[in-house]
Amino acid sequence: RLFTREGREIPLDRSLFANPWSIDGCRWSADGRTFFFIYNQRGHQAYRLLAVDAATGAVRTVVGEESATFVDYADKSWCHWLGEDQLLWMSERDGFNHLYLVDVPHGTVLRQVTRGPWMVRSVEHVDEAARTLTLRVMGIDPAQDPYHSHFVRVSIDGGEPVRLTQGDGTHELAWSPGREWYVDTWSRVDLPPVHELHRASDGALV
């Protein structure tokens, strides 16, 4: 519900969030004119980031997911704001779990940040200054078991992923304080842990 400071309620059009299982991710724009929240529909077949005009109560969808079966809000949803006008959004809309760059004022997708027959498992680090992401991914190496966890770095503004891990196994990274170096520890059920020192700029083995 939306109220002015004087206590007058501004009616809202609730058609886009009529049956909530949860409402979270609440946030005001810097100028105080727009209120944002993430609506997770009961039954989990709709998941939307909505924007409310604080003056009129009008509600619009910034970005959202709909499914006839299930939107995986628990393991495959993620939203990260980049200033006021852009955000990163996780979605399975092309059949694989990937990241998208969204124009907030217009509610349009500017770019699919990751793409291919593999999936983003989680976002491990966001470097907003360099506009890069460090991601935990699965299935990126077709010669390996698709359940092996690997790491890549991608640019928000386009280009191919930089592989940070190569070995045939599941990987964990330990970073130096300035993130210039990392130790890659990887193993398999039939291989004891291997420890490798890598250079972060290009993933090269040191």
Side-chain angles (χ1 to χ4, degrees), residues 3 7 9 21 34 36 40-41 47 57 78 104 110 113 116 133 139 144-145 174 177 179:
F3 295 86
E9 183 171 4
W21 182 79
T34 310
F36 300 93
N40 187 352
Q41 180 178 282
Y47 187 84
W78 181 79
V104 174
L110 295 172
V113 177
L133 308 171
Q144 296 185 23
D145 187 318
R179 295 186 71 86

Side-chain angles (χ1 to χ4, degrees), residues 29-113:
S29 62
D31 60 14
R33 295 180 178 178
T34 310
F35 180 72
F36 300 93
F37 63 89
I38 292 176
Y39 163 70
N40 187 352
Q41 180 178 282
R42 189 171 299 278
H44 313 301
Q45 294 177 324
Y47 187 84
R48 306 182 184 112
L49 174 65
L50 301 176
V52 180
D53 186 311
T56 68
V59 182
R60 67 179 177 89
T61 299
V62 177
V63 62
E65 307 300 319
E66 301 210 7
S67 171
T69 53
F70 182 75
V71 177
D72 189 353
Y73 68 95
D75 291 318
K76 300 188 180 84
S77 64
W78 181 79
C79 177
H80 182 88
W81 287 77
L82 298 168
E84 291 287 306
D85 294 333
Q86 294 183 352
L87 61 83
L88 293 162
W89 181 259
M90 185 178 282
S91 169
E92 290 187 287
R93 62 183 63 185
D94 77 346
F96 292 88
N97 199 46
H98 283 299
L99 299 172
Y100 296 78
L101 180 65
V102 175
D103 181 301
V104 174
H106 299 97
T108 57
V109 173
L110 295 172
R111 179 177 300 104
Q112 186 170 346
V113 177

